[in-house]
């Protein structure tokens, strides 16, 4: 075993060093070179669709044998049509503006030095994700477009698919100006292989874990590579005393049910006591009609004419259900709603429904989340909706990027300072 | 011992929770409230100068007894005049623009949603630093101005001084709209107390270690709180084949000697072989005249008429001397200089001296450092020089902030999305 582990680690380091080397070659390439490479990848994926489907069938068969749910198997499965869709997404990334080289700020300093802060790639971006092989291509394309090398570590359940997908992408790159090593799969499927990635400080510049809270927590705990946390969403809708009741019901139902399995779906509704009598009967009926189980506090249950509201526990307030469940609580004030969110929320997205300008302003000021919605569904927190064209994830941390991350969030900056012989502490020349 | 450690940890958590609470109160305060608090702090520091000096004398005496160098004792020492200077620096911070609330980007989305990305405070900022008590006040002021609570962990050598300084600041805040708990000293002087700060994920939002490479490495290794690495500077000056020799000598001597003990001082000079014969005799003479010991490779030593160049080892190329020493090496090409920097540099600041536009462009494109100087001294990488008005440190990492960090780098952002009942997946209303 020790020998096997050493071998895996050596193999990882070999791959990571090639990634590092490729990053130096990729970073200064102009947009045209990167876009041509993305089109080559898209074409190659389409051409290799039968081969990809075959590898994917092996993954799917293995998943079936191990009793994986049909829902997960659907996420894992690739067809020729889905591969065409993935290739199209790559072409869409090629069409997006290149963030690299953008001048973020620039001015001439009083001493005549020309100061410019310009966007540069991060370098090598490690991405840890679940069993959706389309992420393998999406993430690689977004990294490549932003001048970054992708070190991909997908779920072991999709290893065969990912191996072929990365192989096809590398072969496509071999005929372009982008180094073939600019897309890398972390070798191996063991838990150790994730650890190698987390300890690769100096070789990997940033790690983006995409997945459940436990994956993300373990990466944050163990990684010496800087991490961008993504995606855990315990989002709340607060219905203010001054809300339009019908609007509030519509927003709540949309936020909860339009797609319950995603991170920007609502998991909690907080109702101002001043509107509880008017709002709760309609809301509970609408949620019931949409098949939602409500986990309510005593005040909510007092309005439960159908007798279907479950008693809420502390765990319900913390829960990211990702299902047709919602926690519900009556609060005395807007500030109490904010305090609830501060205690139980995940800092993803919160919404207020109100007709009061003052209430909206206070909620926006006090709620410390990546996105705050006023009279809109929480479901709008999304790179595509925000007009970013693509999204590598939704950051719930405060450092570097917060909220939906598009291409600019995959860059760093560099100061370029141009003088004419400027010396510190001396009048020029 | 176990009991003592538990007590210290409990005390830490008590302080950190108060900091967290204060962060919620501080974040939404308008500029005027924060500026008034900063002026109250400045006035209180001036008024308490005798008390501060007395506490500082205890630290200085202890440092003397333990054989601390006079250089370090000078950094540790406070006088009434120095305290007046520190108070003035706080007033200067008050005069800077408030980064909080700034709209970073904003537009109306096709569906009519109003999208704005605005600057918000990070929350609680932990700062770990060395034995300069002025940093206690500087860091607190910068954090406060940017709406952040400062959790300060200075050197144990300055603990008496820092305790009094923080006490004076907290007392000053008690009479203002800013919570008194917005400035906190990490309790205790043990190594454990640093660990508490590094493990305070959820209570502390970011850690900024300021100090030597070993401190910063240990924080990066052990911290579960996101870290901004600062300050290690192994900066190189590359003298291109097309350089003006006299200008190159001036820039090199300035970069090395104008203040050798700081992170933006040059530690390495790389000389293109095509200019070595013209440049090295003058450069070696000028460096010798300035009291600099050169650690040169064979090609450099071939020009050493005075016989004073020391043989360079691999360690010299890695060294951040912070003294009147410099590593010197002849390279065959610009790309070889870039490769040297990639291998040995710390990603802080590199300079090229050249009259060639093409060489400057290539160097800027290929060098992956926080700042790249063209025909200017490395010493210009500095928040004050860049016009930021103040600086909390110089980041050498790529995530969040890179290069000199001013007030905007102490902020995160939040998306505020305003609709009129917008529902996902439906035409509006």
């Amino acid at each position: 075993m020790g020998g096997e582990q050493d071998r895996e680690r050596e193999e990882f380091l070999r791959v990571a060093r090639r990634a590092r080397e490729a990053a130096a070659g990729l970073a200064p390439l102009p947009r045209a070179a990167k876009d041509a490479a993305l089109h080559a990848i898209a074409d190659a994926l389409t051409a290799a669709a039968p081969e990809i489907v075959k590898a994917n069938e092996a993954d799917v068969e293995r998943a079936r044998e191990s009793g994986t749910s049909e829902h997960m198997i659907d996420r894992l499965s690739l067809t020729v049509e889905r591969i065409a869709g993935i290739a199209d997404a790559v072409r869409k990334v090629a069409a997006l503006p290149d963030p690299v080289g953008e001048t973020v700020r620039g001015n001439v300093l009083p001493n005549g030095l020309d100061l410019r802060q310009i966007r540069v790639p991060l370098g090598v971006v490690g991405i840890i994700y679940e069993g959706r092989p389309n992420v393998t291509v999406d993430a690689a394309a977004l990294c490549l477009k932003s001048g970054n090398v992708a070190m991909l570590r997908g779920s072991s359940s999709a290893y065969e698919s990912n191996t072929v997908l990365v192989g096809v992408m590398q072969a496509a790159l071999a005929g372009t100006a982008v180094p073939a090593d600019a897309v890398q799969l972390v070798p191996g499927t063991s838990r150790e292989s994730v650890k190698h990635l987390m300890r690769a400080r100096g070789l990997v510049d940033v790690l983006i874990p995409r997945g459940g809270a436990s994956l993300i927590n373990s990466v944050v705990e163990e990684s010496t590579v800087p991490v961008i946390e993504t995606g855990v969403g315990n989002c709340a809708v607060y219905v203010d005393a001054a809300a339009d009741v019908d609007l509030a019901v519509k927003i709540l139902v949309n936020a909860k049910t339009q797609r319950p399995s995603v991170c920007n779906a609502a998991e909690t509704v907080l109702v101002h006591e001043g509107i509880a009598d008017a709002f709760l009967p309609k809301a509970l009926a609408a949620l019931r009609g949409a098949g939602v189980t409500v986990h309510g506090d005593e005040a909510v249950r007092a309005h439960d004419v159908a007798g279907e509201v479950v008693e809420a526990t502390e765990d319900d307030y913390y829960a990211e259900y990702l299902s047709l469940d919602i926690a519900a609580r009556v609060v005395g004030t807007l500030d109490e709603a904010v305090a609830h969110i501060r205690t139980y929320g995940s800092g993803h997205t919160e919404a207020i429904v109100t007709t009061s300008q003052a209430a909206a302003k206070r909620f926006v000021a006090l709620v410390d989340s990546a996105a705050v919605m006023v009279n809109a569904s929480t479901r709008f927190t999304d790179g595509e909706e925000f007009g970013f064209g693509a999204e590598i994830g939704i950051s719930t941390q405060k450092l570097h990027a917060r909220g939906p991350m598009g291409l600019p969030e995959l860059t760093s900056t560099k100061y370029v300072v141009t003088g004419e012989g400027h010396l510190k502490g001396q009048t020029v020349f």
Side-chain angles (χ1 to χ4, degrees), chain A:
Chain A
M1 274 306 281
E4 175 60 21
Q5 280 185 16
D6 287 352
R7 203 196 52 75
E8 197 178 83
R9 181 170 154 72
E10 267 170 42
E11 176 67 7
F12 171 82
L13 288 176
R14 205 175 58 80
V15 167
R17 285 196 197 102
R18 277 161 54 178
R20 185 97 234 136
E21 194 67 30
L26 172 57
L29 290 182
R31 171 174 181 170
K34 293 185 286 188
D35 289 355
L38 288 167
H39 280 282
I41 283 175
D43 295 345
L45 288 169
T46 311
E51 182 194 347
I52 297 166
V53 168
K54 199 175 152 201
N56 183 251
E57 281 168 357
D59 283 332
V60 168
E61 194 175 328
R62 202 154 32 85
R64 275 233 166 73
E65 280 167 10
S66 68
T68 306
S69 72
E70 278 308 309
H71 170 68
M72 296 302 280
I73 282 177
D74 181 56
R75 288 158 61 107
L76 176 61
S77 298
L78 291 177
T79 60
V80 170
E81 294 69 36
R82 285 189 178 183
I83 292 164
I86 292 171
D88 276 347
V90 173
R91 292 187 187 99
K92 271 182 67 183
V93 171
L96 292 173
D98 186 348
V100 174
E102 185 198 342
T103 298
V104 176
R105 61 178 155 187
N107 58 304
V108 178
L109 301 176
N111 62 6
L113 276 177
D114 179 272
L115 177 72
R116 275 184 311 140
Q117 184 183 23
I118 57 170
R119 284 201 190 281
V120 297
L122 287 166
V124 177
V125 177
I127 299 168
I128 303 173
Y129 54 100
E130 294 164 322
R132 291 163 57 209
N134 62 309
V135 175
T136 305
V137 179
D138 284 353
L142 289 168
C143 285
L144 198 159
K145 178 78 189 198
S146 51
N148 295 296
V149 168
M151 282 278 288
L152 302 161
R153 209 294 181 181
S155 162
S156 56
S157 68
Y159 194 67
E160 301 269 335
S161 313
N162 290 341
T163 302
V164 171
L165 286 168
V166 169
V168 168
M169 289 193 279
Q170 288 180 335
L173 290 179
T176 74
V178 170
D181 286 332
V183 178
Q184 296 285 355
L185 191 67
V186 172
T189 57
S190 70
R191 260 199 64 73
E192 281 302 307
S193 73
V194 186
K195 287 200 179 158
H196 299 325
L197 194 55
M198 294 193 289
R199 310 298 295 184
R201 188 172 167 235
L203 290 171
V204 177
D205 293 286
V206 56
L207 260 189
I208 306 178
R210 292 171 47 151
S214 74
L215 165 69
I216 289 164
N217 276 327
S218 85
V219 173
V220 168
E221 283 286 326
E222 294 182 40
S223 182
T224 56
V225 175
V227 174
I228 300 179
E229 295 178 50
T230 67
V232 177
N234 176 9
C235 306
V237 174
Y238 165 63
V239 181
D240 187 49
D244 174 320
V245 165
D246 292 334
L247 201 70
V249 171
K250 278 186 199 164
I251 287 175
L252 174 61
V253 171
N254 183 267
K256 177 66 257 179
T257 68
Q258 202 260 342
R259 198 171 166 203
S261 64
V262 292
C263 61
N264 59 17
E267 306 290 16
T268 298
V269 57
L270 302 167
V271 183
H272 192 286
E273 64 181 9
I275 204 165
D277 289 347
F279 173 76
L280 277 171
K282 287 190 179 185
L284 293 178
L287 288 168
R288 193 169 54 241
V292 177
T293 302
V294 177
H295 305 253
D297 72 351
E298 212 182 305
V300 170
R301 292 201 312 282
H303 290 88
D304 176 26
V305 290
E308 289 182 351
V309 174
V310 180
E311 188 173 340
T313 66
E314 188 91 352
D315 284 349
D316 285 302
Y317 298 144
Y318 281 115
E320 187 190 21
Y321 295 115
L322 302 175
S323 62
L324 286 174
D325 291 82
I326 194 163
R329 188 177 192 178
V330 172
V331 294
T333 59
L334 182 150
D335 285 26
E336 214 179 285
V338 170
H340 177 102
I341 289 163
R342 187 165 288 144
T343 303
Y344 301 106
S346 65
H348 189 298
T349 300
E350 326 301 334
I352 181 173
V353 186
T354 188
T355 58
S356 157
Q357 182 76 10
K361 192 176 172 195
R362 187 165 178 84
F363 190 79
V364 164
L366 295 186
V367 166
D368 188 23
S369 296
V372 185
M373 301 283 161
V374 179
N375 296 326
S377 171
T378 55
R379 291 275 295 111
F380 285 106
T381 301
D382 176 89
E384 202 80 40
E385 289 289 341
F386 280 12
F388 300 170
E391 177 188 287
I392 189 87
I394 296 179
S395 164
T396 51
Q397 73 177 33
K398 293 188 185 170
L399 225 55
H400 183 73
R402 199 177 190 204
M405 293 187 287
L407 290 170
E409 283 70 26
L410 284 172
T411 65
S412 181
T413 60
K414 151 160 104 179
Y415 285 102
V416 179
V417 187
T418 308
E420 301 159 79
H422 283 67
L423 307 178
K424 172 99 170 193
Q426 297 186 24
T427 316
V428 179
F429 312 128

